[in-house]
Amino acid sequence: MDKKTDRGFLEIQNDNIDPNISGFHWRSHGRGANIYFVEGHSVVIIYAEMSAVKEYDALVFGETEHINNRYFLSDHTIENIHLDERLRIQKLLVEWLASKRMRHDISVGK
């Protein structure tokens, strides 16, 4: 991926994400939101939006096809995340959403 055209670094900067504070961080943008997973000085962006249906609080693009890039701010590089790591992050995301009592539409394991 060409880091010059990748908007992820700009989003991370605009949302003031500190790569030294591990965990998940939610940043709302109207109906849309970015969920940032910070770990080991890297950042993974997961997109979400507020749901218009009563069954869910948020529609989260948390399937493994969407959890695909890890951003390293220190050297401005992007790493493609392997499937087993995507599944681990997805599991942590689902647990975090549950701890916030947020109902979501993630197809776990996919």
Side-chain angles (χ1 to χ4, degrees):
M1 176 166 297
D2 182 7
K3 62 184 172 185
K4 289 184 170 117
T5 60
D6 190 279
R7 69 181 191 188
F9 287 109
L10 183 59
E11 291 180 39
I12 294 165
Q13 180 181 8
N14 288 343
D15 280 342
N16 199 28
I17 299 301
D18 184 341
N20 299 307
I21 302 174
S22 295
F24 287 96
H25 307 273
W26 178 283
R27 297 294 191 274
S28 295
H29 304 282
R31 278 197 60 213
N34 290 350
I35 303 170
Y36 296 97
F37 176 61
V38 178
E39 181 181 62
H41 300 285
S42 69
V43 180
V44 176
I45 304 171
I46 302 162
Y47 297 102
E49 66 181 49
M50 301 314 293
S51 177
V53 296
K54 64 182 178 181
E55 292 85 15
Y56 303 116
D57 298 312
L59 304 176
V60 181
F61 296 88
E63 287 74 29
T64 57
E65 69 186 81
H66 302 295
I67 303 173
N68 54 7
N69 290 316
R70 183 177 307 233
Y71 296 84
F72 292 90
L73 305 183
S74 60
D75 59 0
H76 211 72
T77 58
I78 303 169
E79 172 186 278
N80 192 296
I81 303 171
H82 295 284
L83 180 59
D84 59 338
E85 180 66 2
R86 292 178 190 197
L87 289 167
R88 183 185 75 85
I89 293 169
Q90 181 189 67
K91 179 179 181 288
L92 294 171
L93 173 63
V94 168
E95 290 170 358
W96 179 76
L97 290 167
S99 76
K100 301 291 184 191
R101 298 183 187 264
M102 291 190 69
R103 297 169 300 149
H104 58 82
D105 65 330
I106 298 172
S107 294
V108 177
K110 293 188 182 205

